[in-house]
Every structure is written in structure tokens, then in C-alpha cells.
Amino acid sequence: VPRKPDPAGAVEMADVLGVRLEEMAYVGDSGIDMQFARNAGMRAVGVTWGFRSVQELQECGAQVLVHSPAEIVGLV
């Protein structure tokens, strides 16, 4: 499987799960993660406690930023 931000892994995962990519979210802490989600057509959720800055997450397409794991549950 090609590496992120190529969406091939997400496409395969959606096929195996029987879910449309538009119904999925990808939670990550880097710009590459946000690009991966956007390239795949998934919702891009950036976590602010990771390795990269909020600015990088936003510049790379984060649609939502969360500041704690509990906030992720509220997105479902």
C-alpha cells in the first residue's frame, strides 16, 4: 500500500469495512494525516496535543480541531 498522503490505504480500508469514505473520519496529528484524509474524501480531524502545530494542521486541511480525546466522541 502506498504511504500517506496517497489515499489507497483509506480506500482499501473502506472497502473491507463496507463503508463509504465520506462517512469516515481520520484523526491525526500531522499535516500528512490531514492531507491523507482530504485526498481520500474523509473528514480530517486534527488533534492539538500531537507533534505538529495547529497552524500546520489548518494549512493542510484540518476540518475540525480537537483538544482532548473526549472531543472525538462528540464528533461521531
Side-chain angles (χ1 to χ4, degrees):
V1 176
R3 293 179 147 205
K4 297 181 290 185
D6 186 297
V11 172
E12 184 177 338
M13 180 174 41
D15 288 344
V16 168
L17 295 173
V19 179
R20 294 181 320 146
L21 287 163
E22 301 82 32
E23 299 172 316
M24 299 172 69
Y26 192 81
V27 179
D29 66 352
S30 72
I32 293 293
D33 292 337
M34 299 305 101
Q35 292 170 0
F36 174 70
R38 298 302 298 253
N39 289 347
M42 296 186 288
R43 189 173 190 189
V45 180
V47 300
T48 60
W49 63 86
F51 295 105
R52 303 291 184 199
S53 68
V54 168
Q55 181 179 348
E56 178 182 320
L57 296 170
Q58 291 173 323
E59 288 174 355
C60 292
Q63 294 165 290
V64 177
L65 293 174
V66 294
H67 308 288
S68 72
E71 288 183 68
I72 297 169
V73 176
L75 298 175
V76 178

